[in-house]
Amino acid sequence: MAKRKIFVVSDIHGHCSILKEALENAGFQKENTEHLLICCGDYFDRGTENLETLKFFERLKHKVLLRGNHEDLLLKLLQTGKIQPHHYINGTMNTLEEFFGKHFVDPADDTIDFSGKTSTVDRIFEFFNELLDYFETENYVFVHGWVPSGCNTSEDLKKIPKQKWEEARFMRWTEKYDDSPPIESKTLVCGHMPTFYANMGDKSKNIYDVFYGNGLIAIDAGTADTKHINVLVLEDNICE
């Protein structure tokens, strides 16, 4: 095992400038081999710097990237080309306009027109191929939304099929967490649901602060509304 300084973010949602400032303030050095950036998913949608966010993570060397539920939604749209109402509501259509330019929708049948854009599609799929369902260090487990039902130990994590992980990415920790550790002997770190749902009753905190529970750390700051990104800084051994 090798000990690293770990910087954890989540739910960037196309706010690259805020991400870079938050990481700089936290002391992250992208060329430092002892620094590792973990992102717990949801890189795009809602913000206006989706292409810059893609470029930032593509160029970053020392990283672990997890898949979020917005990546699942975007991937299905790219695979089928069929636009649904939630693609407008979630900001996915704005993301695709950044990636493909204007007039990327075929008005004849309201589908995405990929003609002449194959290289961009390949680039996005290549990025998605890097994304993990979860990441584990000696003392922590990192996920997007939650762990699949029936998953309580490190050994359980290795046995979960892909479909169960997709379901877990849509789970809300605010509804699943019962004040007991979700993973035996480890701390679960997640995003997906903003921490203000847990913090709004605590006047000693800003509502977007990191939430620390028993065996749980939640970090989603609700960036689209707060224009803030939490950076959780940890030191732990990386399992190699």
Side-chain angles (χ1 to χ4, degrees):
M1 292 188 178
K3 196 159 193 175
R4 303 278 289 277
K5 191 167 186 178
I6 303 170
F7 298 78
V8 194
V9 297
S10 188
D11 297 84
I12 308 308
H13 285 300
H15 293 83
C16 193
S17 297
I18 296 173
L19 171 64
K20 289 179 179 178
E21 182 178 2
L23 288 173
E24 182 178 355
N25 290 340
F28 177 68
Q29 301 167 359
K30 61 182 181 181
E31 301 299 332
N32 190 333
T33 58
E34 295 184 1
H35 286 191
L36 178 68
L37 179 63
I38 298 177
C39 183
C40 292
D42 280 7
Y43 305 84
F44 313 119
D45 304 344
R46 298 181 179 158
T48 60
E49 299 172 324
N50 296 285
L51 186 55
E52 285 304 309
T53 301
L54 176 63
K55 291 177 181 177
F56 174 82
F57 284 107
E58 282 179 330
R59 295 167 180 167
L60 196 63
K61 296 178 182 177
H62 312 298
K63 63 192 176 186
V64 172
L65 306 181
L66 305 186
R67 185 185 297 266
N69 63 299
H70 277 252
E71 282 70 66
D72 288 333
L73 294 172
L74 180 55
L75 181 61
K76 287 181 180 179
L77 177 56
L78 292 174
Q79 289 172 332
T80 65
K82 296 180 180 179
I83 301 168
Q84 304 292 333
H86 64 79
H87 294 131
Y88 290 96
I89 296 169
N90 288 329
T92 308
M93 300 304 288
N94 292 332
T95 298
L96 292 183
E97 184 173 325
E98 283 192 52
F99 289 164
F100 299 117
K102 295 182 179 180
H103 313 300
F104 65 93
V105 177
D106 186 342
D109 56 4
D110 202 32
T111 60
I112 298 177
D113 180 7
F114 288 129
S115 57
K117 301 178 175 67
T118 305
S119 61
T120 303
V121 175
D122 289 345
R123 178 181 175 187
I124 296 169
F125 274 97
E126 184 177 343
F127 175 75
F128 280 4
N129 285 337
E130 289 189 60
L131 307 183
L132 306 177
D133 294 318
Y134 75 97
F135 184 68
E136 185 176 10
T137 62
E138 184 178 17
N139 295 293
Y140 298 91
V141 174
F142 303 87
V143 299
H144 178 64
W146 199 246
V147 289
S149 300
C151 184
N152 306 112
T153 69
S154 291
E155 287 305 310
D156 292 337
L157 293 170
K158 301 176 178 65
K159 303 172 185 176
I160 301 298
K162 288 286 184 181
Q163 181 183 353
K164 292 294 184 182
W165 277 112
E166 183 174 344
E167 293 171 2
R169 284 192 280 275
F170 285 85
M171 292 179 183
R172 301 177 176 183
W173 67 268
T174 50
E175 297 173 358
K176 295 293 182 180
Y177 180 56
D178 61 1
D179 295 323
S180 60
I183 297 292
E184 184 180 306
S185 303
K186 296 208 176 188
T187 297
L188 185 71
V189 180
C190 70
H192 184 52
M193 288 300 291
T195 58
F196 62 70
Y197 287 104
N199 289 335
M200 57 187 176
D202 189 343
K203 294 183 179 179
S204 67
K205 297 180 179 179
N206 290 317
I207 59 172
Y208 55 75
D209 280 352
V210 172
F211 172 79
Y212 293 90
N214 181 22
L216 173 70
I217 304 176
I219 64 174
D220 178 9
T223 305
D225 296 318
T226 64
K227 301 299 182 286
H228 177 82
I229 289 176
N230 286 321
V231 181
L232 176 68
V233 183
L234 306 168
E235 285 194 14
D236 202 18
N237 289 316
I238 305 300
C239 306
E240 297 181 347

